Amino acid sequence: MSTAKKQYKRVTVKSLVDMKASGEKISMLTAYDYTMAKIVDGAGVDVILVGDSASNVMAGHETTLPITLDQMIYHASSVIRAIDRALVVVDLPFGSYQSDPKEALRSAIRIMKESGAHSVKLEGGKEIKESIKRILHAGIPVMGHLGLTPQSIYKFGTYTVRAKEEEEAERLVQDAKMLERIGCFGIVLEKIPAALAKRVAESVSIPIIGIGAGPNVDGQVLVLHDMLGMTHEFNPRFLRRYLNLYEDMTKAMEQYVADVKSVDFPNENEQY
Ligand code: KIV
């Protein structure tokens, strides 16, 4: 039997379901701007999430709550201009879908129409079921997000692991099954026990993308600035840093300052 993976010229929501069915793991990273998205897409990442984590890493807010729909559309449209292959998922920000299904649909339509994104992601389970159904009925693909849902941080009070108790774990499994049933194309599971994530991934046929949810899911997502080591104060156990850009960039900038001060830069080849 051939082990060659199918090549996806453009990743669609259907490709992701096919990847799960064929056992191919799905790679997903965040991006918020044109230049980074171009690199992420060129590297072959399957899914780009324009996450509301932009509120933290781009705008410097403590939580994801302050970012607005207009700001998410700005980030998403910058990312979309860079993409040749990846599927782009955009977070509906806090306050743009919680009050009623009509508002949720209006917000999702604005994202799709004004940014050119391919799909949206919403945090929550049965409490937002009607909003998700309304968006799906309009033909907009929806990704769910369960477990640690950062938009509810003030309800949880902490960013620690979710669903460690049986009651919450059971609720999460039921929510995942409901999201599949109503037509979501995938679910992000954030910061839950690996055994529970495995159980969820085995209970549904749509892809489960984990962050801090162990290896037995259908794909992984990380925040780009964290995996590149641009942030250095955020150190959760699940994070693997592939570079230490905070240090490398600081060194480069210190060298630039020194070169400007000493008039080493620009040299005779760097002028007209
Ligand atoms: O906003 C975000 O970056 C996310 C990921 C943490 C999954 O939702």
Side-chain angles (χ1 to χ4, degrees):
M1 197 177 81
S2 163
T3 55
K5 296 284 180 216
K6 184 170 169 193
Q7 299 297 311
Y8 295 93
K9 205 160 172 278
R10 275 214 89 112
V11 180
T12 63
V13 294
K14 179 165 182 317
S15 324
L16 300 186
V17 178
D18 289 348
M19 285 182 197
K20 170 161 181 154
S22 69
E24 177 178 350
K25 298 287 185 187
I26 297 162
S27 57
M28 175 161 161
L29 281 177
T30 66
Y32 319 96
D33 67 86
Y34 175 85
T35 305
M36 292 293 234
K38 192 106 195 137
I39 300 170
V40 176
D41 187 58
V45 171
D46 299 312
V47 185
I48 295 184
L49 171 64
V50 183
D52 58 359
S53 50
S55 181
N56 309 111
V57 297
M58 300 301 287
H61 293 296
E62 205 176 304
T63 72
T64 57
L65 276 67
I67 198 160
T68 65
L69 186 57
D70 284 339
Q71 288 164 342
M72 288 303 295
I73 290 169
Y74 167 77
H75 287 297
S77 51
S78 308
V79 166
I80 281 289
R81 285 191 283 274
I83 300 307
D84 287 323
R85 176 181 176 273
L87 178 83
V88 177
V89 183
V90 181
D91 269 335
L92 280 186
F94 177 71
S96 73
Y97 63 96
Q98 287 89 349
S99 47
D100 67 72
K102 277 191 190 159
E103 183 204 35
L105 177 60
R106 262 196 308 275
S107 301
I109 287 177
R110 278 201 62 203
I111 287 185
M112 301 296 282
K113 216 176 172 73
E114 295 177 38
S115 76
H118 310 139
S119 58
V120 296
K121 174 164 83 61
L122 286 75
E123 294 183 6
K126 77 170 190 302
E127 67 283 4
I128 56 162
K129 179 177 168 189
E130 293 311 314
S131 294
I132 295 177
K133 279 170 75 176
R134 191 97 184 204
I135 297 171
L136 287 165
H137 282 153
I140 300 172
V142 175
M143 179 169 244
H145 184 152
L146 300 171
L148 176 64
T149 46
Q151 291 178 12
S152 307
I153 182 58
Y154 292 115
K155 182 173 121 193
F156 299 145
T158 143
Y159 286 103
T160 54
V161 180
R162 302 299 312 169
K164 278 162 67 176
E165 307 299 330
E166 187 49 39
E167 196 187 324
E168 190 181 344
E170 193 49 46
R171 222 172 25 242
L172 189 146
V173 173
Q174 294 313 319
D175 276 342
K177 288 182 178 170
M178 179 276 292
L179 291 175
E180 174 181 42
R181 205 166 48 244
I182 66 175
C184 289
F185 71 87
I187 302 171
V188 166
L189 282 188
E190 182 164 354
K191 232 174 166 187
I192 62 166
L196 174 61
K198 177 173 188 285
R199 183 175 151 207
V200 174
E202 287 170 355
S203 314
V204 296
S205 57
I206 55 172
I208 298 296
I209 313 294
I211 173 164
N216 295 311
V217 288
D218 308 303
Q220 299 292 332
V221 56
L222 285 175
V223 169
L224 186 63
H225 292 57
D226 297 336
M227 64 85 75
L228 293 177
M230 293 173 89
T231 50
H232 69 303
E233 283 158 356
F234 180 61
N235 286 304
R237 191 201 307 188
F238 68 75
L239 175 61
R240 183 178 294 183
R241 292 194 204 286
Y242 287 82
L243 286 172
N244 188 346
L245 279 191
Y246 188 90
E247 226 168 71
D248 293 348
M249 290 170 83
T250 303
K251 273 190 209 140
M253 291 168 202
E254 284 171 352
Q255 187 61 54
Y256 171 72
V257 171
D259 290 352
V260 169
K261 301 278 180 195
S262 66
V263 202
D264 179 82
F265 174 78
N267 66 25
E268 59 192 30
N269 298 318
E270 292 164 333
Q271 58 182 286
Y272 300 100

